[in-house]
Amino acid sequence: MQSLRLNRFPLDNSDDVLEIKVERRPTRVAANDSIAVVKWLMTEQLFSVFDSDGNEQFKFGEIEEAQDDPFAFDGWIELTEQYLLFVPMNVGIIYVFSVTDGSLIGEIETPHFETIARSEEQLDGNRRRVVAPTSQYTMGTPTVIPGTSRLIVETLYRGDEIDDEEYDASTADFWLDIYDLENQSYLHSIQLPHSVSSFVIHDGSLITYNTTSARGISYDMTDELRDLIYP
């Protein structure tokens, strides 16, 4: 982010590194075989599309509320062949954009949707933390299950508020929220006994990882779990 550049590295150990100089602060990148989409911080157009040679094709994603409170709209992106999915950290809406022309196709409210409130930027030494306007926020990168129209988003309910910015950890809840991109709708949630930063489905297991505890847990992909995740 601070160096104002994007780098594309080859996978064959060659020195053919492509460096792209930019004038804005990039915060997230999502890519497929033909394009890369970059999210910017504190800019009128939130996203840019780059081709495989590093040329910027077009900008898109002007969300009025994001201009008023850009830190509340920091979040994660996921790229499919058709869509760019933008999941702000603590807004309660999933934005669906076309990767062809950048048009906004739809907005999906999360099951914990609440009115947007201003976040607060607090400085603690050299660390910046953004206080979420609600007690529920997105935990990590949204994931589209390959070959399906299912989107899974990790979320965390921090617990009942005890005092200003203090929450009861014993009432915290952890979820995998599942959406249908075809109908652009929320389907249901899978509750877990722990926080999830990322996950992968591999070799008959649902494998989760939590960066806070540096712990991974594997769950057997039972018929019941499979029916919840797959169409």
Side-chain angles (χ1 to χ4, degrees), residues 6-173:
L6 308 170
N7 286 338
R8 186 193 68 189
F9 295 91
L11 297 179
D12 59 1
N13 292 326
S14 69
D15 295 328
D16 186 23
V17 178
L18 176 65
E19 183 176 285
I20 307 168
K21 292 289 187 181
V22 296
E23 297 178 353
R24 290 151 291 172
R25 295 171 63 188
T27 61
R28 312 286 176 188
V29 178
N32 57 28
D33 289 339
S34 56
I35 63 171
V37 178
V38 179
K39 181 187 176 297
W40 309 107
L41 181 65
M42 292 188 295
T43 183
E44 188 171 323
Q45 302 286 344
L46 287 176
F47 311 102
S48 290
V49 174
F50 290 84
D51 64 20
S52 57
D53 293 321
N55 301 308
E56 189 173 17
Q57 300 298 294
F58 60 88
K59 304 180 183 67
F60 68 100
E62 185 175 355
I63 301 174
E64 184 176 347
E65 295 88 347
Q67 308 310 312
D68 297 331
D69 194 7
F71 288 106
F73 277 82
D74 192 18
W76 289 267
I77 58 177
E78 168 78 321
L79 186 62
T80 72
E81 293 301 320
Q82 295 176 281
Y83 308 120
L84 174 78
L85 306 167
F86 173 43
V87 185
M89 186 183 302
N90 53 358
V91 171
I93 299 175
I94 297 173
Y95 295 87
V96 183
F97 295 93
S98 165
V99 296
T100 303
D101 58 10
S103 59
L104 180 63
I105 296 174
E107 300 178 7
I108 308 173
E109 290 187 1
T110 74
H112 314 283
F113 176 79
E114 294 187 28
T115 303
I116 297 173
R118 283 195 66 83
S119 61
E120 299 177 16
E121 183 183 5
Q122 296 189 359
L123 296 178
D124 178 15
N126 291 324
R127 299 180 61 189
R128 183 181 66 226
R129 69 187 182 95
V130 178
V131 179
T134 71
S135 60
Q136 180 269 336
Y137 62 96
T138 304
M139 284 297 298
T141 306
T143 302
V144 174
I145 301 300
T148 77
S149 62
R150 293 286 172 90
L151 170 71
I152 302 183
V153 180
E154 301 92 341
T155 56
L156 163 67
Y157 175 71
R158 290 186 293 188
D160 300 332
E161 191 167 9
I162 302 173
D163 202 349
D164 187 30
E165 298 303 329
E166 291 187 15
Y167 301 92
D168 181 2
S170 67
T171 60
D173 287 322

